PDB file of all heavy atoms in Angstrom:
ATOM      1  N   GLY A   1       0.760  -1.196   0.050  1.00 98.00           N
ATOM      2  CA  GLY A   1       0.017  -0.027  -0.027  1.00 98.00           C
ATOM      3  C   GLY A   1       0.816   1.295  -0.024  1.00 98.00           C
ATOM      4  O   GLY A   1       0.240   2.343  -0.160  1.00 98.00           O
ATOM      5  N   GLY A   2       2.142   1.184   0.192  1.00 98.00           N
ATOM      6  CA  GLY A   2       3.067   2.312   0.188  1.00 98.00           C
ATOM      7  C   GLY A   2       3.386   2.802  -1.171  1.00 98.00           C
ATOM      8  O   GLY A   2       2.934   2.250  -2.151  1.00 98.00           O
ATOM      9  N   SER A   3       4.295   3.774  -1.148  1.00 98.00           N
ATOM     10  CA  SER A   3       4.660   4.413  -2.399  1.00 98.00           C
ATOM     11  C   SER A   3       6.245   4.626  -2.449  1.00 98.00           C
ATOM     12  O   SER A   3       6.870   4.653  -1.424  1.00 98.00           O
ATOM     13  CB  SER A   3       4.112   5.870  -2.545  1.00 98.00           C
ATOM     14  OG  SER A   3       2.618   5.726  -2.619  1.00 98.00           O
ATOM     15  N   LEU A   4       6.735   4.607  -3.728  1.00 98.00           N
ATOM     16  CA  LEU A   4       8.098   4.929  -3.974  1.00 98.00           C
ATOM     17  C   LEU A   4       8.135   5.710  -5.250  1.00 98.00           C
ATOM     18  O   LEU A   4       7.338   5.536  -6.205  1.00 98.00           O
ATOM     19  CB  LEU A   4       8.923   3.608  -4.039  1.00 98.00           C
ATOM     20  CG  LEU A   4       9.320   2.819  -2.849  1.00 98.00           C
ATOM     21  CD1 LEU A   4      10.060   1.437  -3.209  1.00 98.00           C
ATOM     22  CD2 LEU A   4      10.181   3.654  -1.891  1.00 98.00           C
ATOM     23  N   ARG A   5       9.148   6.531  -5.391  1.00 98.00           N
ATOM     24  CA  ARG A   5       9.466   7.079  -6.629  1.00 98.00           C
ATOM     25  C   ARG A   5      10.875   6.737  -7.061  1.00 98.00           C
ATOM     26  O   ARG A   5      11.865   7.110  -6.453  1.00 98.00           O
ATOM     27  CB  ARG A   5       9.327   8.675  -6.540  1.00 98.00           C
ATOM     28  CG  ARG A   5       9.398   9.256  -7.994  1.00 98.00           C
ATOM     29  CD  ARG A   5       9.132  10.805  -7.991  1.00 98.00           C
ATOM     30  NE  ARG A   5      10.246  11.553  -7.556  1.00 98.00           N
ATOM     31  CZ  ARG A   5      10.457  12.818  -7.965  1.00 98.00           C
ATOM     32  NH1 ARG A   5       9.631  13.417  -8.790  1.00 98.00           N
ATOM     33  NH2 ARG A   5      11.606  13.486  -7.602  1.00 98.00           N
ATOM     34  N   LEU A   6      10.975   6.145  -8.233  1.00 98.00           N
ATOM     35  CA  LEU A   6      12.271   5.779  -8.825  1.00 98.00           C
ATOM     36  C   LEU A   6      12.692   6.828  -9.765  1.00 98.00           C
ATOM     37  O   LEU A   6      11.826   7.558 -10.424  1.00 98.00           O
ATOM     38  CB  LEU A   6      12.163   4.430  -9.649  1.00 98.00           C
ATOM     39  CG  LEU A   6      11.614   3.211  -8.784  1.00 98.00           C
ATOM     40  CD1 LEU A   6      11.648   1.985  -9.662  1.00 98.00           C
ATOM     41  CD2 LEU A   6      12.360   3.071  -7.529  1.00 98.00           C
ATOM     42  N   SER A   7      13.991   7.156  -9.804  1.00 98.00           N
ATOM     43  CA  SER A   7      14.576   8.069 -10.755  1.00 98.00           C
ATOM     44  C   SER A   7      15.629   7.358 -11.600  1.00 98.00           C
ATOM     45  O   SER A   7      16.303   6.428 -11.107  1.00 98.00           O
ATOM     46  CB  SER A   7      15.292   9.220  -9.950  1.00 98.00           C
ATOM     47  OG  SER A   7      14.419   9.840  -9.113  1.00 98.00           O
ATOM     48  N   CYS A   8      15.699   7.806 -12.823  1.00 98.00           N
ATOM     49  CA  CYS A   8      16.642   7.331 -13.849  1.00 98.00           C
ATOM     50  C   CYS A   8      17.445   8.504 -14.349  1.00 98.00           C
ATOM     51  O   CYS A   8      16.816   9.288 -15.165  1.00 98.00           O
ATOM     52  CB  CYS A   8      16.051   6.454 -14.806  1.00 98.00           C
ATOM     53  SG  CYS A   8      17.102   6.013 -16.204  1.00 98.00           S
ATOM     54  N   VAL A   9      18.640   8.679 -13.962  1.00 98.00           N
ATOM     55  CA  VAL A   9      19.405   9.811 -14.378  1.00 98.00           C
ATOM     56  C   VAL A   9      20.431   9.423 -15.524  1.00 98.00           C
ATOM     57  O   VAL A   9      21.106   8.478 -15.294  1.00 98.00           O
ATOM     58  CB  VAL A   9      20.175  10.471 -13.270  1.00 98.00           C
ATOM     59  CG1 VAL A   9      21.013  11.618 -13.727  1.00 98.00           C
ATOM     60  CG2 VAL A   9      19.147  10.886 -12.138  1.00 98.00           C
ATOM     61  N   ALA A  10      20.328  10.131 -16.635  1.00 97.00           N
ATOM     62  CA  ALA A  10      21.231   9.850 -17.764  1.00 97.00           C
ATOM     63  C   ALA A  10      22.446  10.799 -17.697  1.00 97.00           C
ATOM     64  O   ALA A  10      22.273  11.966 -17.393  1.00 97.00           O
ATOM     65  CB  ALA A  10      20.483  10.105 -18.972  1.00 97.00           C
ATOM     66  N   SER A  11      23.607  10.267 -18.045  1.00 94.00           N
ATOM     67  CA  SER A  11      24.755  11.094 -18.246  1.00 94.00           C
ATOM     68  C   SER A  11      25.534  10.661 -19.431  1.00 94.00           C
ATOM     69  O   SER A  11      25.400   9.468 -19.810  1.00 94.00           O
ATOM     70  CB  SER A  11      25.618  10.963 -16.940  1.00 94.00           C
ATOM     71  OG  SER A  11      26.119   9.654 -16.764  1.00 94.00           O
ATOM     72  N   GLY A  12      26.276  11.606 -19.926  1.00 92.00           N
ATOM     73  CA  GLY A  12      27.117  11.312 -21.124  1.00 92.00           C
ATOM     74  C   GLY A  12      26.331  11.471 -22.471  1.00 92.00           C
ATOM     75  O   GLY A  12      26.918  11.180 -23.497  1.00 92.00           O
ATOM     76  N   PHE A  13      25.050  11.734 -22.392  1.00 92.00           N
ATOM     77  CA  PHE A  13      24.268  11.933 -23.672  1.00 92.00           C
ATOM     78  C   PHE A  13      22.995  12.717 -23.177  1.00 92.00           C
ATOM     79  O   PHE A  13      22.618  12.852 -22.004  1.00 92.00           O
ATOM     80  CB  PHE A  13      23.897  10.588 -24.267  1.00 92.00           C
ATOM     81  CG  PHE A  13      22.880   9.812 -23.423  1.00 92.00           C
ATOM     82  CD1 PHE A  13      21.582   9.673 -23.804  1.00 92.00           C
ATOM     83  CD2 PHE A  13      23.302   9.145 -22.277  1.00 92.00           C
ATOM     84  CE1 PHE A  13      20.674   8.982 -23.099  1.00 92.00           C
ATOM     85  CE2 PHE A  13      22.413   8.367 -21.491  1.00 92.00           C
ATOM     86  CZ  PHE A  13      21.055   8.246 -21.942  1.00 92.00           C
ATOM     87  N   THR A  14      22.347  13.208 -24.219  1.00 92.00           N
ATOM     88  CA  THR A  14      21.072  13.984 -24.056  1.00 92.00           C
ATOM     89  C   THR A  14      19.864  13.098 -24.192  1.00 92.00           C
ATOM     90  O   THR A  14      19.722  12.424 -25.179  1.00 92.00           O
ATOM     91  CB  THR A  14      20.957  15.159 -25.033  1.00 92.00           C
ATOM     92  OG1 THR A  14      22.073  15.973 -24.912  1.00 92.00           O
ATOM     93  CG2 THR A  14      19.770  15.940 -24.790  1.00 92.00           C
ATOM     94  N   LEU A  15      19.058  12.999 -23.164  1.00 93.00           N
ATOM     95  CA  LEU A  15      17.981  12.191 -23.025  1.00 93.00           C
ATOM     96  C   LEU A  15      16.847  12.468 -24.041  1.00 93.00           C
ATOM     97  O   LEU A  15      16.015  11.642 -24.382  1.00 93.00           O
ATOM     98  CB  LEU A  15      17.360  12.100 -21.613  1.00 93.00           C
ATOM     99  CG  LEU A  15      16.643  10.875 -21.161  1.00 93.00           C
ATOM    100  CD1 LEU A  15      17.463   9.562 -21.372  1.00 93.00           C
ATOM    101  CD2 LEU A  15      16.206  11.051 -19.704  1.00 93.00           C
ATOM    102  N   ASP A  16      16.860  13.712 -24.500  1.00 92.00           N
ATOM    103  CA  ASP A  16      15.744  14.255 -25.355  1.00 92.00           C
ATOM    104  C   ASP A  16      15.477  13.336 -26.535  1.00 92.00           C
ATOM    105  O   ASP A  16      14.405  13.284 -27.086  1.00 92.00           O
ATOM    106  CB  ASP A  16      16.181  15.666 -25.894  1.00 92.00           C
ATOM    107  CG  ASP A  16      16.447  16.659 -24.830  1.00 92.00           C
ATOM    108  OD1 ASP A  16      16.913  16.270 -23.808  1.00 92.00           O
ATOM    109  OD2 ASP A  16      16.037  17.773 -25.085  1.00 92.00           O
ATOM    110  N   TYR A  17      16.618  12.668 -27.075  1.00 93.00           N
ATOM    111  CA  TYR A  17      16.462  11.978 -28.301  1.00 93.00           C
ATOM    112  C   TYR A  17      16.153  10.470 -28.137  1.00 93.00           C
ATOM    113  O   TYR A  17      16.202   9.681 -29.060  1.00 93.00           O
ATOM    114  CB  TYR A  17      17.743  12.103 -29.090  1.00 93.00           C
ATOM    115  CG  TYR A  17      18.136  13.488 -29.468  1.00 93.00           C
ATOM    116  CD1 TYR A  17      19.275  14.113 -28.819  1.00 93.00           C
ATOM    117  CD2 TYR A  17      17.405  14.286 -30.211  1.00 93.00           C
ATOM    118  CE1 TYR A  17      19.612  15.402 -29.015  1.00 93.00           C
ATOM    119  CE2 TYR A  17      17.733  15.624 -30.506  1.00 93.00           C
ATOM    120  CZ  TYR A  17      18.824  16.166 -29.900  1.00 93.00           C
ATOM    121  OH  TYR A  17      19.089  17.489 -30.131  1.00 93.00           O
ATOM    122  N   TYR A  18      15.782  10.084 -26.905  1.00 96.00           N
ATOM    123  CA  TYR A  18      15.587   8.771 -26.640  1.00 96.00           C
ATOM    124  C   TYR A  18      14.161   8.561 -25.902  1.00 96.00           C
ATOM    125  O   TYR A  18      13.749   9.322 -25.045  1.00 96.00           O
ATOM    126  CB  TYR A  18      16.661   8.291 -25.670  1.00 96.00           C
ATOM    127  CG  TYR A  18      18.077   8.180 -26.195  1.00 96.00           C
ATOM    128  CD1 TYR A  18      18.792   9.250 -26.334  1.00 96.00           C
ATOM    129  CD2 TYR A  18      18.543   6.955 -26.616  1.00 96.00           C
ATOM    130  CE1 TYR A  18      20.071   9.265 -26.891  1.00 96.00           C
ATOM    131  CE2 TYR A  18      19.803   6.931 -27.212  1.00 96.00           C
ATOM    132  CZ  TYR A  18      20.523   8.073 -27.270  1.00 96.00           C
ATOM    133  OH  TYR A  18      21.789   8.009 -27.793  1.00 96.00           O
ATOM    134  N   ALA A  19      13.570   7.435 -26.327  1.00 97.00           N
ATOM    135  CA  ALA A  19      12.477   6.913 -25.485  1.00 97.00           C
ATOM    136  C   ALA A  19      13.038   6.108 -24.317  1.00 97.00           C
ATOM    137  O   ALA A  19      14.169   5.668 -24.481  1.00 97.00           O
ATOM    138  CB  ALA A  19      11.527   5.960 -26.368  1.00 97.00           C
ATOM    139  N   VAL A  20      12.338   6.157 -23.320  1.00 97.00           N
ATOM    140  CA  VAL A  20      12.884   5.510 -22.044  1.00 97.00           C
ATOM    141  C   VAL A  20      11.840   4.508 -21.471  1.00 97.00           C
ATOM    142  O   VAL A  20      10.603   4.773 -21.477  1.00 97.00           O
ATOM    143  CB  VAL A  20      13.122   6.623 -20.913  1.00 97.00           C
ATOM    144  CG1 VAL A  20      13.684   5.928 -19.731  1.00 97.00           C
ATOM    145  CG2 VAL A  20      14.092   7.617 -21.436  1.00 97.00           C
ATOM    146  N   GLY A  21      12.278   3.441 -20.995  1.00 98.00           N
ATOM    147  CA  GLY A  21      11.389   2.412 -20.438  1.00 98.00           C
ATOM    148  C   GLY A  21      11.912   1.977 -19.006  1.00 98.00           C
ATOM    149  O   GLY A  21      13.046   2.075 -18.726  1.00 98.00           O
ATOM    150  N   TRP A  22      10.978   1.632 -18.199  1.00 98.00           N
ATOM    151  CA  TRP A  22      11.226   0.940 -16.921  1.00 98.00           C
ATOM    152  C   TRP A  22      10.880  -0.417 -17.028  1.00 98.00           C
ATOM    153  O   TRP A  22       9.661  -0.813 -17.534  1.00 98.00           O
ATOM    154  CB  TRP A  22      10.386   1.613 -15.776  1.00 98.00           C
ATOM    155  CG  TRP A  22      10.936   2.877 -15.321  1.00 98.00           C
ATOM    156  CD1 TRP A  22      10.543   4.172 -15.635  1.00 98.00           C
ATOM    157  CD2 TRP A  22      12.011   3.144 -14.351  1.00 98.00           C
ATOM    158  NE1 TRP A  22      11.230   5.128 -14.934  1.00 98.00           N
ATOM    159  CE2 TRP A  22      12.167   4.503 -14.202  1.00 98.00           C
ATOM    160  CE3 TRP A  22      12.802   2.274 -13.703  1.00 98.00           C
ATOM    161  CZ2 TRP A  22      13.177   5.058 -13.376  1.00 98.00           C
ATOM    162  CZ3 TRP A  22      13.832   2.753 -12.888  1.00 98.00           C
ATOM    163  CH2 TRP A  22      13.966   4.110 -12.602  1.00 98.00           C
ATOM    164  N   PHE A  23      11.714  -1.322 -16.573  1.00 98.00           N
ATOM    165  CA  PHE A  23      11.532  -2.818 -16.563  1.00 98.00           C
ATOM    166  C   PHE A  23      11.820  -3.296 -15.234  1.00 98.00           C
ATOM    167  O   PHE A  23      12.445  -2.757 -14.426  1.00 98.00           O
ATOM    168  CB  PHE A  23      12.457  -3.475 -17.697  1.00 98.00           C
ATOM    169  CG  PHE A  23      12.208  -2.897 -19.104  1.00 98.00           C
ATOM    170  CD1 PHE A  23      12.732  -1.705 -19.450  1.00 98.00           C
ATOM    171  CD2 PHE A  23      11.445  -3.626 -19.938  1.00 98.00           C
ATOM    172  CE1 PHE A  23      12.556  -1.174 -20.730  1.00 98.00           C
ATOM    173  CE2 PHE A  23      11.245  -3.132 -21.194  1.00 98.00           C
ATOM    174  CZ  PHE A  23      11.736  -1.934 -21.622  1.00 98.00           C
ATOM    175  N   ARG A  24      11.236  -4.466 -14.946  1.00 98.00           N
ATOM    176  CA  ARG A  24      11.538  -5.185 -13.635  1.00 98.00           C
ATOM    177  C   ARG A  24      11.758  -6.601 -13.917  1.00 98.00           C
ATOM    178  O   ARG A  24      11.281  -7.271 -14.810  1.00 98.00           O
ATOM    179  CB  ARG A  24      10.488  -4.896 -12.744  1.00 98.00           C
ATOM    180  CG  ARG A  24       9.150  -5.558 -13.030  1.00 98.00           C
ATOM    181  CD  ARG A  24       8.000  -5.048 -12.017  1.00 98.00           C
ATOM    182  NE  ARG A  24       6.783  -5.685 -12.389  1.00 98.00           N
ATOM    183  CZ  ARG A  24       5.695  -5.374 -11.755  1.00 98.00           C
ATOM    184  NH1 ARG A  24       5.619  -4.418 -10.834  1.00 98.00           N
ATOM    185  NH2 ARG A  24       4.506  -6.009 -11.985  1.00 98.00           N
ATOM    186  N   GLN A  25      12.569  -7.184 -12.924  1.00 98.00           N
ATOM    187  CA  GLN A  25      12.912  -8.618 -12.934  1.00 98.00           C
ATOM    188  C   GLN A  25      12.860  -9.107 -11.562  1.00 98.00           C
ATOM    189  O   GLN A  25      13.638  -8.708 -10.747  1.00 98.00           O
ATOM    190  CB  GLN A  25      14.250  -8.883 -13.626  1.00 98.00           C
ATOM    191  CG  GLN A  25      14.484 -10.281 -13.863  1.00 98.00           C
ATOM    192  CD  GLN A  25      15.631 -10.531 -14.819  1.00 98.00           C
ATOM    193  OE1 GLN A  25      16.431  -9.706 -15.068  1.00 98.00           O
ATOM    194  NE2 GLN A  25      15.691 -11.682 -15.417  1.00 98.00           N
ATOM    195  N   ALA A  26      11.869 -10.045 -11.427  1.00 97.00           N
ATOM    196  CA  ALA A  26      11.762 -10.713 -10.101  1.00 97.00           C
ATOM    197  C   ALA A  26      12.607 -11.952 -10.147  1.00 97.00           C
ATOM    198  O   ALA A  26      12.839 -12.578 -11.227  1.00 97.00           O
ATOM    199  CB  ALA A  26      10.310 -10.975  -9.739  1.00 97.00           C
ATOM    200  N   PRO A  27      13.032 -12.472  -8.914  1.00 93.00           N
ATOM    201  CA  PRO A  27      13.744 -13.768  -8.947  1.00 93.00           C
ATOM    202  C   PRO A  27      13.106 -14.832  -9.673  1.00 93.00           C
ATOM    203  O   PRO A  27      11.909 -15.163  -9.473  1.00 93.00           O
ATOM    204  CB  PRO A  27      13.949 -14.059  -7.455  1.00 93.00           C
ATOM    205  CG  PRO A  27      13.767 -12.699  -6.765  1.00 93.00           C
ATOM    206  CD  PRO A  27      12.849 -11.990  -7.592  1.00 93.00           C
ATOM    207  N   GLY A  28      13.865 -15.498 -10.640  1.00 95.00           N
ATOM    208  CA  GLY A  28      13.311 -16.605 -11.349  1.00 95.00           C
ATOM    209  C   GLY A  28      12.390 -16.321 -12.449  1.00 95.00           C
ATOM    210  O   GLY A  28      11.751 -17.174 -13.099  1.00 95.00           O
ATOM    211  N   LYS A  29      12.201 -14.987 -12.724  1.00 97.00           N
ATOM    212  CA  LYS A  29      11.270 -14.575 -13.802  1.00 97.00           C
ATOM    213  C   LYS A  29      12.003 -13.799 -14.930  1.00 97.00           C
ATOM    214  O   LYS A  29      13.089 -13.281 -14.606  1.00 97.00           O
ATOM    215  CB  LYS A  29      10.167 -13.741 -13.147  1.00 97.00           C
ATOM    216  CG  LYS A  29       9.217 -14.572 -12.271  1.00 97.00           C
ATOM    217  CD  LYS A  29       8.025 -13.728 -11.833  1.00 97.00           C
ATOM    218  CE  LYS A  29       6.989 -14.515 -10.942  1.00 97.00           C
ATOM    219  NZ  LYS A  29       5.833 -13.689 -10.616  1.00 97.00           N
ATOM    220  N   ASP A  30      11.363 -13.673 -16.015  1.00 97.00           N
ATOM    221  CA  ASP A  30      11.902 -12.901 -17.076  1.00 97.00           C
ATOM    222  C   ASP A  30      11.807 -11.353 -16.772  1.00 97.00           C
ATOM    223  O   ASP A  30      10.919 -10.965 -16.088  1.00 97.00           O
ATOM    224  CB  ASP A  30      11.190 -13.230 -18.342  1.00 97.00           C
ATOM    225  CG  ASP A  30      11.934 -12.832 -19.640  1.00 97.00           C
ATOM    226  OD1 ASP A  30      13.127 -12.512 -19.538  1.00 97.00           O
ATOM    227  OD2 ASP A  30      11.336 -12.974 -20.754  1.00 97.00           O
TER     228      ASP A  30
END
């Protein structure tokens, strides 16, 4: 029931030109 906010900081390039995705992997799963 709680909340978290994840951040993804890019360095070495400009993020403007990229689509971005969040993915997750649990133990034993794809």
Side-chain angles (χ1 to χ4, degrees):
S3 298
L4 286 173
R5 188 175 82 154
L6 305 184
S7 298
C8 171
V9 179
S11 62
F13 69 105
T14 301
L15 202 55
D16 301 37
Y17 303 111
Y18 293 80
V20 181
W22 282 100
F23 300 81
R24 66 187 181 188
Q25 188 165 17
K29 294 188 176 181
D30 196 14

